[in-house]
Amino acid sequence: MRITRQVLNWSRLACHSTNISCRQRFCTSQHTMASRHTHSKRIEGLDKNVWVAFTSLAADPSVVNLGQGYPDIPPPSYVKEALAEAASVDRMNQYTRGFGHPSLVKALSQVYGKVCERQIDPLKEILVTVGGYGSLFSTMQALVEEGDEVIIIEPFFDCYVPMVRMAGAKPVLIPLHLKSGKKTITSADWYLDPDELSSKFNSKTKAIIINTPNNPIGKVFTRDELQMIADLCIKHDTLCFSDEVYEWLIYRGHQHIKIATLPGMWDRTITISSAGKTFSVTGWKEAVAQGLLKNFELMGQPECYFSSLAEELECKRDRMAAIVTEAGMIPVIPEGGYFMLVDVTSLNQDLSHMVGDDDEAYDYKFVKWMIKEKVEFI
Amino acid sequence: MKRLQRHRVEFVQLAADHKAVNVGQGFPDFGPPEFAQEAFSKAVNGGPMMHQYTRGFGHPPLVKSLAKFFSRIVGHEIDPFEDILVTVGAYQALFCAFQALVDEGDEVIFIEPFFDCYQPMVKMAGGKAVYVPLRPRVEGTAGLSSGDWVLSPEELASKFTPRTKAIVINTPNNPLGKVYKTEELQVIADLCIKHNVLCISDEVYEWLTYDGAKHVKIASLPGMWERTVTISSGGKTFSATGWKVGWAIGSGHIMKHMKAIHQNTVNHCATPVQEAVSQGFEREYELFGTPESYFQQLPAMLHHKRKKLASCLEGVGLQPIMPEGGYFITADISSVKVDLSSEGGEDELTDYKFVKWLTKEKGLATMPVSTFYSPEHSKEFDKYIRFCFVKEDSTLDAAEDILKKWSQGQ
């Protein structure tokens, strides 16, 4: 079968996580001037970034970019219109309340109050940030200290570890395991081992980070799974940082559960979300009150963007799964989110000719190969 | 005695609570110029990619515009991708600079009065703040102009130690409005070079100078490019503080550290506003130095407002210090006799009490200047309050009304 290559007209270096070039190293030179201009210790090793090899490769406009987590489809028109309308009001171009624009926090408290079934104080319980990223950073800096441990479930969105380290704490990793022997794999087949998880908690554990729906697998944690995590948080008096940026992107048959709504969890959970992912406007790094209110009215109905986007994306998900299956790869069908993991083992692709470090992971080499060779699958 | 250190935020809230005429907080209550609004509108309607992530360290069209524009001014070829980091307002540029460059135990010199976020940011980075105040040239007077507030070269030199990592300068200065002259910057530069110290130069008000005062970039002095981080703001440049687009420009070997912080904090800035600021700079590049340039028109408009507010203040016995640049006028309140006992006890700073009283009793919101001083020196400088004149004429008229009624009632 041929997969027809589409030429993507992408001329900008749009990056999800950009990189410091590998060739630049932190200065440890003997020269007095250079040594006085060295960086602070808190950024040791934080310059490296997983995208280092890939962004420049993927920048070639003839490469089809399915790597990075942003839509290339337009956001809903009423959201763009709301932004244009807001910009036409003089006052709207100036500083607003630092912790969050009043009409936005009010809209957020309404939408999430309904979802969580509780009163949320817009001025005390909501902080508006520069993207979900900014929320994560503020959370870590405010709540995590030198010597703390923070549990992170693998695979994890790549910024969690550097952020934990920047706060002076130790990341403690626990992997999701794949159930074996299944013909069709979905993200639900990845699970946490309860005993293994329990063993990671100790007196130094400050927090656990969860991400549901998960990037990259697309796993949507079930109520039971969240309850298991919640029980441990309560037992060890640990905080929970719940990254729920993809909360509306849940495919049929699955339900997004907010760990903060479980008994005993409201007072120990920070729930993080993103208008960029909610309204397909990742470049805004801010949310739109109008969009939220409009969809608040429509919640539960087919026209609500919170459900219509997921429906639209489900077709794309299924199409992508079919494409990769035809090409001889095995997809992990995601229950939620933006991404699909694909097992490339059966292609048995020889990558020995690929230039790179000897210990470079196979998937890194494979991705580079796919970009460079501009492969057509036959 | 225990000093209550409060943050600007408290006074902003007080103004809102009392629905006061707000000449306290530093933002225009008029909009950005039409060409900037159009640029933003164009960006919003500019296709799907305008709404998605752009390059994390700065939207390519914006960093290219900034490099082109500022290379001409600094006299140094600025590499758009190595030497520039776009941030969420100048605020985040300052944060990245301190986090990237200041370590536990490093000393950082501030010149008082200083924009109040510098100190908590340095503290957060584990650094130690070292203060050196500007003082009126003539002891015991406030001086007529911000140019009369100067640094003592000997006092400044004494603040440099083997632990000094950086000095922070702000020109034009908030709150005084001082525009540092070349000779004054040279004194600072000489010390930076002698002690091998970094310079963080906050120049957000760089286009707002009055009475012929000239903004000079310390990075353009010999030996300074390689040790200076110059920070500025699209919000102040284009009267759009709510856009939150700022940037830091400096030698790549320093900028790479700030980029490491940026990519682990917010990672990206908003795309459409960066596009709009880029268009703004393209326009200004072509019109630079001509009467149509916004960088000529804005200070010309503000010159008149500055004068208007200054004469109001004189009219009620508040002595203004005429600013050579920036958004603010500081006024000496010592000659005003008001009973402030209801606003706090002896421990409370005079200017704090006065600002609260003025907000609550007269409905006029300002900012106490001692909030821009170190705890050690705040008591020495608690007889000044700060007014923002970058407001619609109607706001300044309302302020004038209040001040006139008050002076008549006295």
Side-chain angles (χ1 to χ4, degrees), chain B residues 11-161:
Chain B
F11 293 98
V12 168
Q13 190 57 51
L14 191 66
D17 291 344
H18 287 84
K19 295 191 175 19
V21 172
N22 194 346
V23 285
Q25 207 183 348
F27 65 85
D29 59 5
F30 48 82
E34 218 174 286
F35 70 82
Q37 295 198 345
E38 275 162 20
F40 185 61
S41 183
K42 205 168 141 215
V44 168
N45 293 301
M49 295 319 293
M50 276 292 129
H51 302 285
Q52 307 306 337
Y53 294 132
T54 181
R55 176 176 169 269
F57 300 137
H59 188 51
L62 175 56
V63 294
K64 284 179 190 162
S65 302
L66 290 171
K68 186 170 81 175
F69 190 95
F70 286 103
S71 291
R72 199 162 63 171
I73 295 179
V74 170
H76 178 99
E77 202 56 47
I78 298 172
D79 182 315
F81 298 109
E82 300 295 316
D83 300 341
I84 302 180
L85 173 66
V86 177
T87 53
V88 181
Y91 223 92
Q92 197 227 331
L94 288 161
F95 182 78
C96 286
F98 294 126
Q99 285 287 310
L101 303 167
V102 174
D103 236 333
E104 203 77 36
D106 283 346
E107 289 179 8
V108 180
I109 299 173
F110 298 140
I111 300 169
E112 299 180 290
F114 55 91
F115 182 53
D116 62 338
C117 79
Y118 303 158
Q119 187 263 345
M121 285 190 184
V122 161
K123 195 172 168 194
M124 224 175 123
K128 180 176 167 225
V130 171
Y131 305 100
V132 56
L134 288 165
R135 294 181 201 283
R137 224 189 275 277
V138 180
E139 196 71 42
T141 70
L144 292 170
S145 150
S146 57
D148 296 322
W149 288 66
V150 296
L151 278 175
S152 150
E154 295 76 30
E155 194 179 3
L156 177 62
S158 75
K159 303 292 180 177
F160 283 76
T161 75

Side-chain angles (χ1 to χ4, degrees), chain A residues 77-88:
Chain A
S77 55
Y78 62 80
V79 159
K80 281 199 298 180
E81 277 155 24
L83 179 60
E85 208 183 294
S88 67

